Amino acid sequence: MGTAMTDALWAQLQSRVYEVQQQQDLQTAPSRGVFLRAYWGALAWEQVARLQQLRAVLEAEDAGERLYFVQAIDKPTGDAALSSAQVSAALQHLNMTKTGYLIGMCPLFLGVEVRISRILPEPLLTRELPCIVRRIELHPKEPPTPPGAACVVLQYQPLGVLVEVADSDYGQFQVPGDDVPKGHFYVRPVFNKQSAWVFEVAPKQKLRLVRKQVPLAPQRVLTHFGLQGITARSGLVAFLNQPPWMKDGDYGLALYVMLSRATKLSDLWLIGVPERPYFEGFLHEHNKTLVDRMSLFERLSVQNEQAAEKYIQKLLWRGNAYVNRTLGVSGTGQAKRRRLTGKTAVA
């Protein structure tokens, strides 16, 4: 995002733009399957929170499973009480980073891919751990579900949710005291006493709330921050509209983070793509500090690689075929850098 794009590259990027009319393909097969295998990403919680619910509805319908919505329980830290309207408004609060990573309405169905949304006291259950829901233990007071109901808003929070960790390394673990198969964990609602969140009940009137909720969230719908470190090998549906509160410098960086998650252009479906200058010198113009810092890190990386190569030569590791295959014949990482960026490392 610092050099001019060729007309051919810009045309290729434009070919991945999905128009509003085309988005109706989400409702029909086989396009729906492609989109539901991909990650969905957006730049603001105002978008992500709604996409989480939309995707859950589509996935449950696609799987032929009943969708349950678990309502959070919010209580003020003091003596105040929330009205029914305020309770409803709190459930609609969109930013999970403000609510202790507990979602207002948690969509669940058997087989849905979820992630643990906060660190739990049980061993091994860390935030962002990918899981699959295997059983939902409804509260004994939960009213009977109407036959044939596709979606149900639960009146009581479930006693717990049995999840299977989507990682083979967890297959050997079993939590003492829970009668569940290895690799499975019983996730119970948690009460977020340590990090109350601020809720504006009226203009200039705020309350601190503590939330109780099942600490799970949809796995494949994330902000660009949440997508960092993820390689979207199954594709990415990227909503690139700039939020009105986001500064231009941050927007340029967010575009880079979002678009770099996919491994190839054909795995991207783009919605709300900005004009061509945003992909050329925009980041250099609006976030010069970041660009300078990245250039510094690149120079330091080259220096470290050169120092590492000297040690490799002293240790005679170049005589090892595995080392040569891993590092490349021209240095510890320089050959790879040229393949990725087209630039030759400089001293």
Side-chain angles (χ1 to χ4, degrees):
M1 300 180 71
T3 58
M5 300 179 71
T6 64
D7 291 340
L9 180 57
W10 176 246
Q12 288 181 329
L13 188 66
Q14 288 292 295
S15 72
R16 305 309 304 162
V17 175
Y18 229 55
E19 303 296 343
V20 173
Q21 186 66 28
Q22 293 173 292
Q23 293 173 39
Q24 294 179 359
D25 287 349
L26 281 173
Q27 309 294 329
T28 60
S31 298
R32 175 188 288 197
V34 175
F35 282 106
L36 294 184
R37 285 192 296 272
Y39 282 90
W40 293 8
L43 307 184
W45 276 108
E46 294 91 317
Q47 297 169 302
V48 171
R50 292 172 173 85
L51 292 173
Q52 287 177 328
Q53 307 299 333
L54 170 62
R55 177 161 179 153
V57 171
L58 295 174
E59 286 182 329
E61 185 179 273
D62 200 54
E65 294 286 348
R66 176 174 292 157
L67 178 62
Y68 295 96
F69 287 99
V70 182
Q71 302 179 78
I73 299 174
D74 293 304
K75 294 183 178 181
T77 56
D79 297 329
L82 296 178
S83 67
S84 58
Q86 291 169 341
V87 168
S88 178
L91 290 177
Q92 297 175 54
H93 192 84
L94 304 176
N95 192 331
M96 286 180 63
T97 60
K98 299 287 182 65
T99 60
Y101 301 102
L102 296 175
I103 194 171
M105 296 288 284
C106 182
L108 298 174
F109 64 87
L110 298 183
V112 65
E113 294 182 333
V114 294
R115 57 190 173 87
I116 293 179
S117 62
R118 55 171 295 148
I119 297 175
L120 300 179
E122 292 82 1
L124 306 174
L125 299 188
T126 61
R127 188 168 164 253
E128 304 302 330
L129 185 67
C131 306
I132 301 170
V133 172
R134 295 306 186 196
R135 190 171 76 236
I136 303 170
E137 194 75 31
L138 298 181
H139 194 281
K141 292 184 178 181
E142 186 65 38
T145 300
C151 297
V152 176
V153 178
L154 297 178
Q155 300 301 303
Y156 295 85
Q157 289 188 338
L159 299 180
V161 179
L162 181 67
V163 299
E164 179 182 3
V165 178
D167 187 328
S168 58
D169 290 338
Y170 278 74
Q172 60 181 309
F173 296 112
Q174 190 168 28
V175 177
D178 281 348
D179 185 19
V180 298
K182 290 184 177 181
H184 291 64
F185 298 85
Y186 202 50
V187 178
R188 300 167 176 82
V190 296
F191 196 51
N192 189 25
K193 296 180 180 179
Q194 285 72 34
S195 53
W197 61 285
V198 178
F199 174 59
E200 187 171 345
V201 295
K204 298 183 179 180
Q205 182 184 356
K206 299 179 180 179
L207 290 176
R208 293 181 61 80
L209 305 181
V210 290
R211 168 166 288 185
K212 184 181 181 182
Q213 177 60 293
V214 178
L216 297 173
Q219 185 184 133
R220 290 177 173 261
V221 186
L222 300 159
T223 65
H224 60 293
F225 289 118
L227 284 166
Q228 289 185 93
I230 290 176
T231 301
R233 301 189 190 280
S234 56
L236 173 67
V237 181
F239 295 79
L240 302 178
N241 311 77
Q242 182 178 3
W245 46 262
M246 182 176 283
K247 297 179 180 179
D248 286 341
D250 294 332
Y251 182 50
L253 178 59
L255 288 175
Y256 168 77
V257 171
M258 185 77 79
L259 295 178
S260 61
R261 299 307 93 202
T263 58
K264 54 184 183 293
L265 193 60
S266 58
D267 284 343
L268 280 172
W269 294 271
L270 307 177
I271 300 167
V273 176
E275 298 298 324
R276 184 168 174 173
Y278 284 76
F279 297 94
E280 295 179 325
F282 187 81
L283 191 59
H284 288 250
E285 179 181 351
H286 293 277
N287 203 331
K288 189 175 184 301
T289 300
L290 174 65
V291 173
D292 291 342
R293 186 62 58 87
M294 292 172 66
S295 298
L296 172 62
F297 288 154
E298 184 175 9
R299 291 195 301 272
L300 293 175
S301 177
V302 171
Q303 294 172 11
N304 290 334
E305 287 179 3
Q306 292 170 341
E309 180 64 24
K310 291 179 181 179
Y311 284 108
I312 289 171
Q313 296 292 351
K314 287 182 180 180
L315 295 170
L316 303 179
W317 285 0
R318 278 297 174 189
N320 184 289
Y322 173 78
V323 172
N324 285 331
R325 286 197 307 271
T326 303
L327 302 182
V329 296
S330 60
T332 54
Q334 296 175 26
K336 182 178 181 180
R337 183 181 297 110
R338 284 196 292 272
R339 291 197 299 272
L340 293 175
T341 67
K343 298 179 181 179
T344 302
V346 295

